[in-house]
Amino acid sequence: MKKRKKKRGLSPISSRKLGTVPVRIGHGFDVHRLEPGDGVVLGGVPIACPYRVVAHSDGDVLIHALCDALLGAAALGDIGRWFPDTDARWRGADSRALLREVVRKLAAAGWRAGNVDLTLIAQVPRVAPHVAAMQRALAQDLGIGVDAVGVKATTSEGLGFTGRKEGIAAHAVALLRR
Ligand code: MG
């Protein structure tokens, strides 16, 4: 008599079934170098400070991490795939325009943002006075309420490249809804 192998654990969910799940989650991360300058753009908000971000676009790490979280949740690749830094069209690009384009791509795939949560890791500049403006800008581009846009900032206690003010970093998570 043939011995039947006992199945263990849960059966894998098929991608067809996964397509019917009404929510998705995604994570994004970005880093940019800092150098002496006259200001940065973070979360869509220009901030005057003695630094600038070295980047092909406006170097908005918060929005770049957010775009990757949104695209990742929909399994639509990443920001580098859609807006390559080898393409002159994106030189000095306003990252808010990239974010709105990502929102359009999500909509075409049947998704919209539920809530998002962002964390900036930066020794400089001080962003606390600008958080509310960032929430408003991002909420507008995402088409959601400001109460669904978390923006937080932390230093790295002087440690590492962010602590040495050589660069800034950002993490983002995003929930998508059908
Ligand atoms: Mg970037």
Side-chain angles (χ1 to χ4, degrees):
M1 205 172 85
K2 217 175 165 187
K3 216 177 166 185
R4 253 171 100 183
K5 217 174 170 185
K6 210 175 163 189
K7 268 193 181 172
R8 280 177 199 279
L10 297 167
S11 58
I13 186 165
S14 73
S15 55
R16 191 175 57 82
K17 269 187 187 161
L18 189 61
T20 66
V21 175
V23 294
R24 289 280 190 89
I25 190 165
H27 170 260
F29 175 68
D30 194 33
V31 168
H32 276 289
R33 223 146 39 81
L34 283 178
E35 64 178 23
D38 59 3
V40 301
V41 181
L42 288 171
V45 176
I47 300 173
C49 64
Y51 299 92
R52 67 181 287 272
V53 169
V54 182
H56 188 72
S57 68
D58 63 7
D60 191 328
V61 276
L62 272 175
I63 290 188
H64 296 176
L66 175 58
C67 286
D68 270 359
L70 294 164
L71 290 167
L76 285 173
D78 62 23
I79 196 170
R81 171 175 153 195
W82 296 105
F83 314 108
D85 60 11
T86 49
D87 190 330
R89 266 185 305 167
W90 313 117
R91 185 163 301 138
D94 174 357
S95 293
R96 289 188 65 182
L98 306 189
L99 176 57
R100 290 192 290 269
E101 182 59 30
V102 165
V103 169
R104 280 190 286 274
K105 288 184 194 307
L106 293 179
W111 297 105
R112 62 193 177 93
N115 75 298
V116 300
D117 186 24
L118 318 181
T119 302
L120 178 75
I121 305 159
Q123 205 71 31
V124 287
R126 209 174 102 74
V127 298
H130 307 284
V131 164
M134 293 178 190
Q135 285 178 290
R136 282 195 299 274
L138 299 174
Q140 192 181 17
D141 293 341
L142 291 164
I144 60 180
V146 287
D147 60 346
V149 180
V151 176
K152 313 181 303 298
T154 182
T155 69
S156 53
E157 298 278 339
L159 298 169
F161 71 87
T162 52
R164 291 189 298 270
K165 305 174 188 174
E166 292 167 3
I168 52 178
H171 288 274
V173 288
L175 188 83
L176 299 184
R177 299 164 63 186
R178 268 278 175 227

